[in-house]
Amino acid sequence: MVDRRHLNTLYVSTEGAYVHKDGENAVVEVDGVERLRVPLHNLGSIAPFGRVTISTALMAAALEAGIAITHFSDNGRFLARVEGPVSGNVLLRRDQFRVHEREAASAGFAAAIVIAKASNQRVVLQRALRDHGDGLDEAMKGAMQSAVDLLADAARRCLKPRPLNEVRGIEGEAARAYFGVFDHLIRMKESGLRFTTRSRRPPLDAVNALLSFFYTLLVHDCRSALEGVGLDPAVGFLHRLRPGRPSLALDLMEELRPHLADRLALTLINRGELGMRDFRMFENGAVLLGDDARKQVLVAFQERKREEIEHPFLKERVPLGLLPHIQAQLLAKAVRGDLDGYPPMIWK
């Protein structure tokens, strides 16, 4: 496969940057100096962070060319998405809405997502036990093994048809078990790099700040992938409908984030590439990535997406960054009824 759509997002995170159109190119300037020039035909989306200015001419050209512009705050919180006329298959969206309205059908898709998420979280813990278990005391290893067993049980329970609320409850149990031992995966001794519980708005420690930033990037890619195949990112199965929430993008992200986000966050911390020096703390308790660290994380995320894996359903080697697009295509086929069920991405 030669498709490289995962590399077509222009991330602009330098404060005060000005992005404008020059001929058929998007040009990034900082303090009047050109820093980057990208042909518009190579772009699928532009993602400015914080105080970044997009020229009117570039915005018009981007929207005409089908290039979405997604604005984030300086810490990666989604603010707004600007796009041209919505494309996509209206019949596919009709089928999606019908599936959403039928609880049994919606629960089936949600269960597939939970099976993959729990299985992938289990693999993250198993690899940590295998590779670094010798550095853990018996209590830690016991807690992690218990979490591994609970995640396996959660995936097995979702193999049997269940009401949607039960599927959501199982997902919640699995998440608590996984994050309950997440601190054991952090090998750095720096006191600020400890994890106690998941906190989101705002993140209250450095690890949560890093996880939230990665999740923001990943949900952006999932949303773009879903729109690319014609699905409505706002109408999900596992996540409830809520104004402004891309529920289906959040659904799709769940099966991908243990390996595309969690493992990368742990790698950056455990290798000492990120430390407390890279985070800013505020009076309200919020902790956010610093400007330079945010750029470093963006680079690491893009490099991670270039790595390849054999897709368990397609039996082909594909770049990790293409996974949201592949899974979106498989999800669309399942919604249309072209597949018996949705085959989620499960790592081995």
Side-chain angles (χ1 to χ4, degrees), residues 77 199-204 212 242 245:
R77 182 171 60 86
S199 57
R200 298 171 179 82
R201 299 182 186 88
L204 299 177
S212 291
R242 182 181 297 173
R245 170 194 271 181

Side-chain angles (χ1 to χ4, degrees), residues 96 226 231-237 246-253 331:
Q96 177 188 359
L226 292 166
L231 289 166
D232 187 336
V235 182
F237 307 117
S247 295
L248 190 61
L250 293 171
D251 285 358
L252 186 59
M253 179 184 71
L331 184 58

Side-chain angles (χ1 to χ4, degrees), residues 31 84 90 114 123 125 163 192 210 212 238 272 302 348:
D31 296 330
V90 65
V114 174
V123 170
L125 298 185
L210 183 57
S212 291
L238 177 63
Q302 292 297 81
K348 301 299 183 183

